[in-house]
Amino acid sequence: MPEPSSLDSLIAALRCLPSVGPRSAQRMAWHLLQRDRAGASKLAEAITRSLAVLRHCAKCNGFSENEVCTLCANPRRDNKTLCVVETPADLAMIEQTHSYSGLYYVLMGHLSPLDGIGPRELEFDRLLARANDGAVTEVILATNFTNEGEITAHALATLLAARGIAVSRLSRGVPVGGELEYTGIGTIAQALAERRTV
Amino acid sequence: MPEPSSLDSLIAALRCLPSVGPRSAQRMAWHLLQRDRAGASKLAEAITRSLAVLRHCAKCNGFSENEVCTLCANPRRDNKTLCVVETPADLAMIEQTHSYSGLYYVLMGHLSPLDGIGPRELEFDRLLARANDGAVTEVILATNFTNEGEITAHALATLLAARGIAVSRLSRGVPVGGELEYTGIGTIAQALAERRTV
């Protein structure tokens, strides 16, 4: 029973998913075909539908089914604050804290010169135009604290500050619940350098 | 831009894949929509097509586009030996060794009483009928060496032996290239008990 071409195609197609190698793809294919055909069918439909209906929100650049997404269209959000994140997942994490009521801008990536992703690819111009709408007074840079995220934040901070917009960055430090013994040296060094008076 | 329903549906649908939790699903959805729309489209097509055209081979029970799969239909395979595996992935692994020229039977699972998977669910009758075709003289049990795989092999060995068919099992022992220091105690004990004269 080797290599029915549609099974091979399915295994190959599954490898387009991030961090799915040949073994995982084979296991996923077997699972979909043998254990969860209903789920498989729903998955195919969900992908097709998402590709068809989702586009980028004209204001925040996140995924949306409409010209402007529901969050951007919500009049109860504070339109003076704009939080810049790398991905929709990051936005979802911040929303889950229930401690931010401003608006967002989703970069859909970070600067990565080696991969050919520069300010043009990330459409910095769109973000700058968005931040210059007259209402926004502060931009919070919430890109990741990885090398790429830091470089992206630094580049954006320079551009935004030149336009007279207040720019802030999420604080760095020991995680809530974290023990010093298990916290990275670099993080402890940051937490010391950026210590707060109490 | 939170919760466009089609994005939520996609994230939920991706969770039908084995070992994909909420975070992975979110990351996969973002990857499909932002980074690899062509791959996403191919994936949806491959799933839909596989669900439509793949069925179980009448002889080996593996996935096939035809009544009998190409491996079972290959006249150059030795039809006296039947190798029983749990999944198509296991079959693929054995084929990759290029050291087996017989036929296969794919159980599509293993005995797992706690999950309600018994001899009836695995259609042991079909396997027994297959092994009783008059040509098969030896059945090699190549189920996994997990508890469930061992139990399945034991049950099948009893049933097949009662029908006068020679039954064998893959050997257990230290993996090729393995160092004793990093080999499990249980494996070493097996390798001692089943030591071979050289």
Side-chain angles (χ1 to χ4, degrees):
Chain A
M1 67 121 265
E3 288 87 71
S5 68
S6 55
L7 180 56
D8 283 347
S9 310
L10 175 57
I11 292 169
L14 283 163
R15 295 199 53 193
C16 84
L17 295 169
S19 52
V20 171
R23 294 281 173 87
S24 297
Q26 205 161 39
R27 198 161 44 88
M28 285 176 168
W30 132 263
H31 180 90
L32 291 175
L33 291 167
Q34 188 66 19
R35 295 275 169 85
D36 195 2
R37 296 176 70 89
S41 178
K42 268 191 198 150
L43 175 56
E45 281 163 30
I47 294 171
T48 304
R49 184 173 150 74
S50 290
L51 287 173
V53 308
L54 288 180
R55 49 179 160 163
H56 293 284
C57 167
K59 293 190 77 175
C60 75
N61 197 40
F63 295 121
S64 170
E65 291 180 19
N66 305 305
E67 171 78 8
V68 171
C69 73
T70 50
L71 197 154
C72 285
N74 183 345
R76 278 183 298 189
R77 304 289 304 206
D78 161 27
N79 67 0
K80 293 190 290 302
T81 323
L82 190 68
C83 179
V84 178
V85 293
E86 295 186 20
T87 69
D90 298 336
L91 185 158
M93 290 299 290
I94 294 177
E95 281 299 286
Q96 278 172 44
T97 67
H98 294 293
S99 56
Y100 178 69
S101 60
L103 297 170
Y104 292 92
Y105 187 86
V106 186
L107 282 175
M108 293 289 176
H110 48 228
L111 290 180
S112 183
L114 292 178
D115 301 317
I117 298 173
R120 187 195 306 242
E121 286 68 29
L122 289 182
E123 300 180 286
F124 275 12
D125 287 347
R126 268 188 73 195
L127 165 55
L128 294 175
R130 173 70 188 86
N132 260 327
D133 72 343
V136 172
T137 56
E138 180 187 0
V139 170
I140 302 172
L141 298 172
T143 53
N144 289 323
F145 286 87
T146 55
N147 280 340
E148 292 88 349
E150 293 279 25
I151 290 166
T152 308
H154 183 76
L156 286 175
T158 310
L159 292 167
L160 290 161
R163 282 161 180 76
I165 298 164
V167 185
S168 60
R169 180 101 173 93
L170 294 188
S171 67
R172 287 174 294 194
V174 181
V176 173
E179 298 178 72
L180 290 198
E181 187 179 348
Y182 301 106
T183 303
I185 303 290
T187 300
I188 294 178
Q190 283 294 349
L192 266 174
E194 297 173 10
R195 66 191 179 279
R196 300 169 43 135
T197 44
V198 291
Chain B
M1 66 121 268
E3 289 85 74
S5 69
S6 54
L7 179 57
D8 282 348
S9 310
L10 175 57
I11 292 170
L14 283 163
R15 295 199 51 193
C16 84
L17 294 169
S19 51
V20 171
R23 294 280 174 88
S24 297
Q26 206 162 36
R27 199 161 41 90
M28 286 176 167
W30 132 263
H31 179 89
L32 291 174
L33 290 167
Q34 187 68 18
R35 295 274 170 87
D36 194 2
R37 296 177 70 90
S41 179
K42 269 191 195 151
L43 175 56
E45 281 163 30
I47 294 171
T48 305
R49 183 174 150 75
S50 291
L51 287 173
V53 309
L54 288 180
R55 47 179 163 165
H56 292 284
C57 167
K59 292 190 79 176
C60 76
N61 196 40
F63 295 121
S64 170
E65 291 181 17
N66 305 306
E67 170 80 8
V68 172
C69 74
T70 50
L71 196 155
C72 285
N74 183 346
R76 280 183 297 187
R77 303 290 302 207
D78 162 26
N79 68 0
K80 294 190 291 301
T81 323
L82 191 69
C83 180
V84 178
V85 292
E86 295 186 21
T87 69
D90 298 336
L91 185 157
M93 289 299 288
I94 294 177
E95 280 299 286
Q96 279 172 44
T97 67
H98 294 293
S99 56
Y100 178 70
S101 60
L103 297 170
Y104 291 91
Y105 187 87
V106 186
L107 282 175
M108 292 289 176
H110 48 228
L111 291 180
S112 184
L114 291 178
D115 301 316
I117 300 174
R120 185 197 306 245
E121 285 68 29
L122 289 182
E123 300 181 286
F124 274 12
D125 287 348
R126 268 188 73 194
L127 165 56
L128 295 175
R130 174 70 189 85
N132 260 327
D133 72 344
V136 172
T137 56
E138 181 187 359
V139 170
I140 302 172
L141 297 173
T143 54
N144 289 323
F145 286 87
T146 55
N147 280 341
E148 292 89 349
E150 292 279 25
I151 291 166
T152 308
H154 184 75
L156 286 175
T158 310
L159 292 166
L160 290 161
R163 281 160 180 78
I165 297 165
V167 184
S168 61
R169 180 100 172 94
L170 294 189
S171 68
R172 286 175 294 195
V174 181
V176 173
E179 298 177 71
L180 291 197
E181 186 178 351
Y182 301 107
T183 303
I185 304 289
T187 300
I188 295 177
Q190 282 294 348
L192 266 174
E194 297 174 12
R195 65 191 178 280
R196 301 170 44 136
T197 45
V198 289

